[in-house]
Amino acid sequence: MPNIALFPGDGVGPEVVAEGVKVLEATGSRFGIEFAFETLAIGGDALDRYSAPLRRDDIRAAGRADAALLGAVGGPKWDDVDSALRPERGLLQLRKALGLFANLRPVSVLPALAESSPLRPEIVAGVDLLVVRELTGGIYFGKPSRRWTSGRGRAAVDTLRYREDEIERVVRLAFELARGRRGKLASVDKSNVLQSSRLWREVADEVKADFPDVELEHVLVDAMAMHLIKSPSRFDVIVTENMFGDILTDEASVLPGSIGLLPSASLSAKPGAGTGTRYGLYEPIHGSAPDIAGTGRANPAGTILSAAMLLRWSLGLIEAAEAIERCVADAIAAGVRTPDMAEPGSPVDSTAEFGADVARRVAAA
Ligand code: IPM
Ligand code: MG
């Protein structure tokens, strides 16, 4: 019986996680799997209840589970709290504590939604890329990170630091993923300026020796920002350091027409429950969207597709994962749409209606 830890978190988090669970339960009954869920606290939710954005016990409980599904963290309510207690700290602590070094963010464009992209349909047609973002190193975690005041006024520092083993493991995973796809890897850095990027590029070239069948290109991050909206379909797998990956994936998220559609997987080196799998934390890439929290307008597709990634990458349940992905695409193609996916003035479905529709389709798949 697979155990799944749930971190609903803040804003629309609880609403979208509820739909993820609904679809997992339907998938379980269709494929004869019984999931056990345990709900844990993170972010502002945890801060309000326990005065900390993530408790040790909850880290341990998540680590004991076979995988974890998370909604979102953060919101204006906690904007003024001490930086060590910010809701986002909870997520960063969780990633670090569980060793979730590789963040997979697939971006593809559903034909039914090609017209909703702000980019021309011929630019987004055929987009199918996978961004692999390093998640536990770089400027998010480097020390020193602090601010101070001197005679010359306020100052602050953050540190972008990487060791070669941290680069190697994520780049190697990206090569393996590229091998299973179209055999193309783009490594993104800023090696014309940064030392850490020159090391990144060097290590990527070394790992390449083990992957003669994968084509490697190096792309500077500023150029990649441009290519992603000019010619996104030319990329297959993109690997990059933590902050570049954070920025580029928000940019890439506009391609499918709504950020609400996009899932993610954060994988560790620890084996998962299925053969050849890894322990992971799964979450939609949209944030907590406090402006629409509680209104039933959030798009749960990103979370439902994250649940599908969970089945694939941590439990090895490929058929069940594919069923969910197909049913999400079918629901959207059939016109089931939350407001973010709908044409202005056309009828819309609520978060729960979208989830129920997908669950019905999976149960009948
Ligand atoms: C993301 C988010 C997080 C990040 C925040 C909430 C800490 O933007 O997952 O992309 O910057 O990693
Ligand atoms: Mg981000």
Side-chain angles (χ1 to χ4, degrees):
M1 170 155 84
N3 284 300
I4 300 177
L6 302 174
F7 286 103
D10 307 322
V12 298
E15 298 159 60
V16 293
V17 166
E19 300 315 307
V21 169
K22 200 186 269 178
V23 171
L24 279 172
E25 276 172 341
T27 311
S29 46
R30 163 65 182 79
F31 290 89
I33 314 152
E34 206 183 313
F35 296 105
F37 297 101
E38 182 180 8
T39 302
L40 306 170
I42 194 166
D45 170 44
L47 188 61
D48 287 350
R49 289 199 276 155
Y50 310 113
S51 311
L54 182 66
R55 296 183 304 168
R56 264 220 190 92
D57 281 354
D58 284 5
I59 299 177
R60 274 197 286 268
R64 276 195 306 270
D66 294 307
L69 183 67
L70 184 143
V73 296
K77 183 174 172 201
W78 306 281
D79 270 352
D80 296 326
V81 304
D82 185 79
S83 69
L85 293 177
R86 284 188 68 94
E88 292 81 2
R89 294 286 327 156
L91 183 54
L92 298 179
Q93 277 165 17
L94 189 63
R95 290 171 177 171
K96 193 72 174 178
L98 297 175
L100 305 169
F101 69 90
N103 182 218
L104 277 49
R105 297 188 166 181
V107 179
S108 58
V109 177
L110 291 172
L113 288 180
E115 298 288 335
S116 340
S117 173
L119 297 177
R120 286 203 303 273
E122 67 268 26
I123 290 183
V124 296
V127 166
D128 179 14
L129 51 89
L130 173 64
V131 180
V132 181
R133 167 188 174 195
E134 200 291 325
L135 203 60
T136 50
I139 201 163
Y140 274 59
F141 295 96
K143 296 279 182 303
S145 168
R146 62 187 188 91
R147 56 181 279 166
W148 68 94
T149 306
S150 73
R152 295 170 63 187
R154 286 168 296 172
V157 62
D158 292 291
T159 303
L160 204 182
R161 180 190 300 270
Y162 271 109
R163 284 190 322 264
E164 61 176 317
D165 62 312
E166 294 173 308
I167 302 172
E168 210 253 8
R169 62 183 178 179
V170 71
V171 169
R172 183 168 295 280
L173 178 62
F175 268 108
E176 280 161 9
L177 293 166
R179 178 174 266 170
R181 292 169 48 101
R182 302 194 301 281
K184 287 190 344 184
L185 178 62
S187 174
V188 174
D189 63 41
K190 185 72 184 172
S191 62
N192 52 347
V193 178
L194 302 176
Q195 286 291 0
S196 55
S197 280
R198 285 193 277 275
L199 178 62
W200 182 282
R201 193 173 278 217
E202 215 171 284
V203 172
D205 282 331
E206 288 159 13
V207 178
K208 162 81 177 96
D210 295 337
F211 296 87
D213 51 325
V214 177
E215 189 188 306
L216 171 68
E217 66 171 323
H218 298 285
V219 186
L220 293 172
V221 63
D222 47 354
M224 182 54 100
M226 183 181 74
H227 296 316
L228 269 181
I229 48 168
K230 254 181 102 177
S231 47
S233 59
R234 77 171 235 229
F235 296 101
D236 180 10
V237 179
I238 296 172
V239 66
T240 192
E241 65 95 42
N242 203 342
M243 187 166 69
F244 295 161
D246 178 45
I247 298 167
L248 291 177
T249 51
D250 261 32
E251 186 191 2
S253 75
V254 305
L255 301 171
S258 170
I259 194 172
L261 286 162
L262 294 181
S264 81
S266 301
L267 304 179
S268 77
K270 189 172 110 180
T275 29
T277 63
R278 292 165 184 269
Y279 177 85
L281 167 75
Y282 298 81
E283 54 178 310
I285 92 153
H286 64 73
S288 58
D291 52 323
I292 59 164
T295 65
R297 284 158 64 205
N299 184 351
T303 307
I304 294 169
L305 293 170
S306 297
M309 289 187 89
L310 183 158
L311 298 181
R312 173 179 290 114
W313 297 102
S314 288
L315 305 182
L317 300 169
I318 311 294
E319 205 192 331
E322 285 172 352
I324 294 178
E325 285 160 355
R326 220 174 26 246
C327 291
V328 168
D330 288 351
I332 293 170
V336 186
R337 309 270 169 100
T338 46
D340 56 301
M341 299 188 280
E343 296 294 326
S346 61
V348 296
D349 299 278
S350 70
T351 310
E353 283 163 350
F354 186 91
D357 190 276
V358 175
R360 240 184 338 263
R361 286 171 195 272
V362 174

